[in-house]
Amino acid sequence: MSLFSGLSAFPITPLTPEGQVITDDLARLVSRIEAGGADSVGLLGSTGTYMFISRAERRRAVAAAVEAAISIPVIAGVGAMRTDEAVALAKDAAAEGAAALLMAPVSYTPLLEEEVYRHFVAVASGTDLPLCIYSNPGTTKFTFTPALVSRLAAVPTIAAIKLPLPATDLSADLAAFRAAAPDLSIGYSGDWGCKDALLAGADCWFSVAGGLFPKTASALARAAMAGDRAEADRLDAAFAGLWELFRAYGGLRLVHEAARIKGLTTASLPLPLLGIDDALRERLISVLPE
């Protein structure tokens, strides 16, 4: 199985109120992901609140995760506003033993296509690690076109893309990117639609829920990738209530609270992000899978 395939499980990054990584809690989460059968750890993604964490603490997080993940690779997020910062983060991740990189085109002023292209080329050239394009237009306000992805696929170390679920036909979206970049691994985020993405032939499920429920998520990914729709549907049904809440409220606040409910950390979201209210917490408790 290639690096960017199967289930890539994304844990939260437990932080103190001062923004320091609680490495013991992070190691516990990573060990659970590995024991649950995930194929990789997606560290410092949006679920991992990477943009709220300093360079030094992001490096500490990579080191802790790599030490905890004995048999599966760690894919480290290196997104930053400035290109030089992202290059430095990539080099830090490589030095701490990350197996691959993940990067979104973070911005304040919306980026132009050529700016994104040059940004990715610079970061991809900064290390020998394979890099996964992180397309997250909901936060970055930038949409990757198949034409741009085709250009980026020619960069030797760019190996994969993490796509959001499309608003229309998923199979057509996958086919368009597959035609544009046939050598890239293509995966999706948006947990509620990833069963269908894998059944349609996507290579990877980049999963928020996998960071807390890796055993069931891993089984779901395996069934869908094997084309076993009945088993995939059965396993996906265990997440139905959680998918409903994710679609209504987003996963970030919910998964942090779920980690606290399960006793995996006492960490809260970094301010100014706030937790969920009591009513939503009770709804979340009622739908959490085993």
Side-chain angles (χ1 to χ4, degrees), residues 2-290:
S2 66
L3 176 60
F4 298 103
S5 62
L7 176 71
S8 187
F10 281 68
I12 67 168
T13 309
L15 300 172
T16 69
E18 296 76 29
Q20 294 178 321
V21 177
I22 306 172
T23 54
D24 287 349
D25 288 2
L26 178 59
R28 183 181 306 114
L29 291 166
V30 169
S31 294
R32 289 181 79 254
I33 288 169
E34 182 177 32
D39 298 290
S40 63
V41 176
L43 188 74
L44 297 170
S46 296
T47 302
T49 54
Y50 68 100
M51 285 303 293
F52 295 85
I53 306 174
S54 71
R55 176 184 172 184
E57 290 301 311
R58 286 165 75 166
R59 183 163 185 162
R60 288 184 68 235
V62 175
V66 169
E67 183 178 7
I70 297 167
S71 63
I72 60 173
V74 173
I75 301 168
V78 297
M81 298 252 308
R82 291 204 325 264
T83 299
D84 63 308
E85 291 180 333
V87 170
L89 289 163
K91 291 181 177 181
D92 287 349
E96 296 298 343
L101 308 174
L102 172 73
M103 187 174 74
V106 181
S107 66
Y108 178 79
T109 299
L111 296 175
L112 304 175
E113 188 165 290
E114 186 63 22
E115 291 168 336
V116 169
Y117 175 77
R118 295 188 186 194
H119 180 64
F120 271 81
V121 169
V123 177
S125 302
T127 77
D128 294 330
L129 295 183
L131 186 148
C132 179
I133 300 163
Y134 182 6
S135 177
N136 190 9
T139 58
T140 65
K141 312 305 178 188
F142 183 85
T143 299
F144 283 88
T145 63
L148 175 57
V149 172
S150 180
R151 288 182 70 196
L152 288 169
V155 178
T157 55
I158 292 181
I161 184 167
K162 176 182 185 287
L163 290 166
L165 293 173
T168 53
D169 186 87
L170 194 154
S171 293
D173 186 74
L174 176 59
F177 283 98
R178 190 75 81 193
D183 294 330
L184 288 193
S185 172
I186 299 175
Y188 284 86
S189 55
D191 281 355
W192 55 91
C194 284
K195 174 200 70 173
D196 293 327
L198 292 175
L199 285 165
D203 300 301
C204 192
W205 172 19
F206 297 97
S207 176
V208 173
L212 284 185
F213 309 103
K215 185 175 181 179
T216 305
S218 296
L220 170 55
R222 287 193 295 270
M225 293 184 77
D228 187 344
R229 182 174 291 275
E231 179 65 1
D233 285 344
R234 184 187 72 81
L235 291 162
D236 192 60
F239 289 113
L242 188 61
W243 295 168
E244 182 181 354
L245 293 185
F246 276 9
R247 294 185 76 166
Y249 299 100
L252 178 61
R253 293 172 178 84
L254 292 168
V255 78
H256 274 75
E257 187 60 35
R260 289 165 59 86
I261 290 167
K262 292 181 67 64
L264 298 172
T265 187
T266 58
S268 298
L269 284 159
L271 294 173
L273 299 179
L274 300 176
I276 62 177
D277 63 27
D278 289 343
L280 183 53
R281 186 177 188 275
E282 290 304 312
R283 290 180 62 188
L284 177 61
I285 291 170
S286 73
V287 302
L288 289 180
E290 294 297 328

